[in-house]
Structures are given as C-alpha cells and as structure tokens.
Amino acid sequence: MSVVALVPAAGRGVRLGAGMPKALVPVNGESLLLRAVRGLLASGCVQHVVVAAPADQIGVVAAELAALPAAHVVAGGAERTDSVRRALDAVEQVAPDARVVLVHDAARAFTPASMIRDVVSAVEQGAPAVIPVLPVTDTIKQVDDAGDVVSTVDRSPLRAVQTPQGFAIDVLRAAYAAAGDVATDDAGLVERIGGKVHTVGGHPHALKITTAFDLAIAESVLAVSGEPE
Ligand SMILES: Nc1ccn([C@@H]2O[C@H](COP(=O)(O)OP(=O)(O)OP(=O)(O)O)[C@@H](O)[C@H]2O)c(=O)n1
Ligand SMILES: C[C@](O)(CO)[C@H](O)COP(=O)(O)O
C-alpha cells in the first residue's frame, strides 16, 4: 500500500509578484515546486506525487519534474480546493493502492523530511487526519470594524497550521465529496464532516512562501543551513 502526495501548485503567486506562477520561482537555481516534490520523495515514505499545475503551464511543469518519474501532473483549478480535488481524482489511476494521502503546498518548499515522516506515521498509526502545527508566538487581539481592540485572545490553545496534511484516503475523499464551498485547508473539510483531526509538531522551515519577504527568509535559511540532504 503506497502513500501518495497531492501538491497544489496552480496558484498565480499574486502576493509574491514574481511575474510567473509561484511554484516555478527559482531559489538557488531550483524552483519551489521541484524542491517541494523532491523533498516529499526524499522523505522515503512517499511513493507517488500528483501535482496540480496552472492549466496553461502543464508542459512547463511536466518538464520541470521530468527527472522525477514518480511525479504526475494534472491541471489545477480556480481555487486551491479545486486543484486538490483534481489531483485527488487522479489518484485512482496513478496509485490505486494508496491508502494514505498527503496534501502539501508547493509553496512550502523547504519542509524537513522528518516532519513529512511524522505526519505519515501518525496516519499509518490510525489517525484519520493529521496536521503539522506551530504555537502562535505573537500576542493576538480581536478588533472591531473601526480597528479598536475588543479583547486579548488567549493564545495558549491556538496553533498555526502547515502542510503536509495527512489523511486516510477514504476520509479525504468523503470530505471532498461533502465539501460545498472552498476551504483553504483540507483538514477543515474533514472537521466539517465531524472527523477527528490530530496534530503533530510543525517546523519553522516549512513556512509558506507567500510574499517577497518570505522568499528572502527561505533564501537566508538555505544560505545558513545549506541544501537539504
Ligand atoms: N487555484 C489555486 C490556488 C493555489 N494553489 C496552490 O495552493 C498553495 C497555497 O496557496 P498560496 O500560497 O495562497 O498561493 P497562491 O494562490 O499562488 O498565492 P496568491 O494568493 O498570492 O496568488 C500554493 O502552492 C498554490 O500554488 C493551487 O494549486 N490552485
Ligand atoms: C493549507 C495551508 O497551507 C495551511 O496553512 C493554507 O491554509 C493554504 O494557503 P492559503 O494562503 O490560506 O490559501
């Protein structure tokens, strides 16, 4: 029974503003997408990857991943949820024996292998859905429409969510079958059908590269820590 990872990579990267789809933006000569997909496979616990690419960039993305035969490319959709749904639909053909599925943002290109293994391991041990999380480090305020503070939120039970998120494949299929509208995180769809979502520890290197500042952070991490093994 194999583990398959779905990689939504069909976003435009408007907030990064690099003039190309964010997944294709290079860091130290290699695209975020290539780094994210290679990282999943290098974890040793993922056998297949389905990438959702911008519909007008399928050839470019396939060429980018040509050296990785375990990677398959499908056309993504207008929203992240649409892209994940299309990748999930392709699993039946790509990896019919898959029982565990990960969903991992191409934009989290520097996710440590140990974190990927922790997520897979927790699903294999029986959790229907698993998300990597980090404690919230800033003070959190609730504000009103005028920008005035209403209250200070107790941050101790709050967590910031990363990817890869891991699922028993039947659970993710059921969540997507029930999903009526868009959700930015897949575990949210499992919550909506009453499914239990377990957490494991996230990692700062798994940051989502959203803005030019995030890209600069990733470049700095690479300069200090070196290329992942
Ligand atoms: N229609 C979409 C939108 C997003 N994504 C993917 O979902 C991940 C997380 O999305 P985000 O970081 O918000 O990327 P973008 O949508 O590209 O960013 P922006 O909102 O700045 O355009 C990214 O890997 C992105 O490529 C996708 O596959 N399909
Ligand atoms: C799934 C996710 O990466 C969890 O942090 C995130 O919600 C997806 O990106 P978005 O910027 O919220 O669309």
Side-chain angles (χ1 to χ4, degrees), residues 142-155:
Q142 185 179 355
V143 298
D144 63 18
D145 290 346
D148 295 324
V149 170
V150 175
S151 64
T152 301
V153 177
D154 173 14
R155 69 185 168 192

Side-chain angles (χ1 to χ4, degrees), residues 2-224:
S2 59
V3 177
V4 61
L6 316 181
V7 178
R12 290 286 155 195
V14 173
R15 288 169 288 180
L16 184 59
M20 66 175 85
K22 183 165 66 180
L24 296 174
V25 169
V27 177
N28 213 9
E30 292 189 330
S31 69
L32 296 178
L33 177 62
L34 178 58
R35 288 175 175 281
V37 173
R38 201 179 46 209
L40 286 161
L41 295 170
S43 72
C45 58
V46 173
Q47 286 75 46
H48 305 276
V49 179
V50 182
V51 173
D56 58 353
Q57 303 278 340
I58 291 193
V60 175
V61 167
E64 184 71 13
L65 300 172
L68 302 174
H72 307 265
V73 182
V74 299
E79 305 289 343
R80 184 182 182 280
T81 319
D82 305 315
S83 298
V84 175
R85 188 190 297 278
R86 290 180 182 197
L88 183 59
D89 287 346
V91 171
E92 189 66 50
Q93 275 205 309
V94 167
D97 66 335
R99 292 292 170 271
V100 175
V101 60
L102 302 182
V103 185
H104 187 40
D105 295 326
R108 297 185 189 271
F110 297 93
T111 302
S114 59
M115 206 182 108
I116 297 167
R117 287 194 287 268
D118 288 348
V119 172
V120 171
S121 168
V123 180
E124 287 179 339
Q125 284 170 37
V130 177
I131 57 174
V133 298
L134 288 174
V136 174
T137 51
D138 289 320
T139 293
I140 304 291
K141 302 280 186 190
Q142 185 179 355
V143 298
D144 63 18
D145 290 346
D148 295 324
V149 170
V150 175
S151 64
T152 301
V153 177
D154 173 14
R155 69 185 168 192
S156 62
L158 299 183
R159 299 291 181 271
V161 179
Q162 301 182 318
T163 73
Q165 300 186 354
F167 306 89
I169 195 161
D170 293 345
V171 170
L172 191 64
R173 283 187 172 132
Y176 266 82
D181 53 6
V182 294
T184 62
D185 110 292
D186 307 285
L189 298 178
V190 173
E191 290 162 47
R192 283 188 209 171
I193 60 170
K196 186 174 174 188
V197 179
H198 183 60
T199 63
V200 296
H203 195 287
H205 290 188
L207 84 162
K208 184 158 73 70
I209 295 168
T210 305
T211 63
F213 180 71
D214 300 329
L215 190 61
I217 291 174
E219 285 164 345
S220 304
V221 168
L222 199 57
V224 171

